[in-house]
Amino acid sequence: IASVGYINYKKNPTLLLYCFKKIHDYDPEYTFHIAGAHQDARIKLYFDNFLKANPLPITFYGWVDDMAKWYADKDFVISTSLFESFHYSIAEGMTSGLLPLIHNWYGAQYLYPTEYMFGDPDSCLKLLSELEKRDRHEAAENNRRFIMSRYNSKDKFNQISGLLKKVVSK
């Protein structure tokens, strides 16, 4: 399971840890991989204290330059954010073939399929166990198509360019 980004209050680190603990209690073969960095010493202290009391297989990588390579041996990408504008790592993970586990933050339902959303650690585990039953290759391909069709950079550039032309012409 992968998580990417700054580790700060916005990413809801308490929920992140409890979701992974729930998953690991369900199946100890799961490991957790975090690419990013702590942004707040208090949250790092919380992580350290939590992991001392709950030894879990969590690996911290710091910043990663080649995300496609880093995602290659992961199965899921998780977001427990409180709020986001887009949450790039979810889209990036989906295009890399990972299945998303997305906390239902305000606005997430407008960006990503609601079938991948959860509200608490119990529903996160339920979602993961449902996703384990799916044909991973088919689900990954559907997710890639979803991201590529919905967030095609050429289309977005044309939309932004059109918006700028309207603003400039006024």
Side-chain angles (χ1 to χ4, degrees):
I1 298 177
S3 177
V4 179
Y6 280 117
I7 305 167
N8 58 35
Y9 80 96
K10 186 178 100 169
K11 302 297 185 187
N12 205 355
T14 304
L15 181 60
L16 183 67
L17 289 172
Y18 277 101
C19 284
F20 181 67
K21 183 178 183 325
K22 189 80 167 177
I23 292 166
H24 188 263
D25 288 348
Y26 159 76
D27 183 347
E29 293 297 312
Y30 278 106
T31 57
F32 194 33
H33 305 268
I34 300 174
H38 282 279
Q39 218 173 19
D40 182 326
R42 293 170 294 192
I43 293 172
K44 180 169 184 345
L45 181 63
Y46 182 85
F47 260 72
D48 293 345
N49 187 60
F50 183 92
L51 294 175
K52 187 175 181 182
N54 303 280
L56 295 168
I58 298 178
T59 304
F60 295 91
Y61 294 81
W63 292 113
V64 174
D65 292 325
D66 187 345
M67 289 307 299
K69 183 178 178 183
W70 187 80
Y71 281 126
D73 64 348
K74 317 296 185 287
D75 297 307
F76 298 94
V77 59
I78 189 169
S79 164
T80 57
S81 289
L82 297 170
F83 58 91
E84 291 285 346
S85 59
F86 178 67
H87 210 328
Y88 189 81
S89 66
I90 295 299
E92 187 177 52
M94 288 172 73
T95 58
S96 295
L98 280 64
L99 300 182
L101 304 166
I102 306 167
H103 179 243
N104 193 12
W105 41 270
Y106 178 77
Q109 69 276 14
Y110 302 115
L111 300 171
Y112 298 107
T114 57
E115 68 189 282
Y116 293 114
M117 296 190 189
F118 68 90
D120 57 44
D122 289 331
S123 60
C124 179
L125 176 58
K126 183 178 182 204
L127 173 59
L128 178 129
S129 65
E130 290 170 4
L131 294 176
E132 286 177 326
K133 297 171 191 167
R134 290 193 186 171
D135 178 321
R136 286 196 38 80
H137 179 73
E138 181 182 336
E141 285 304 312
N142 288 340
N143 288 341
R144 280 188 194 102
R145 280 193 293 276
F146 173 85
I147 296 298
M148 296 305 291
S149 68
R150 188 148 185 191
Y151 302 111
N152 179 298
S153 60
K154 183 178 178 186
D155 293 343
K156 294 302 168 197
F157 177 78
N158 290 337
Q159 289 173 349
I160 292 168
S161 180
L163 182 61
L164 288 173
K165 286 176 185 176
K166 279 185 183 179
V167 169
V168 170
S169 69
K170 288 185 177 187

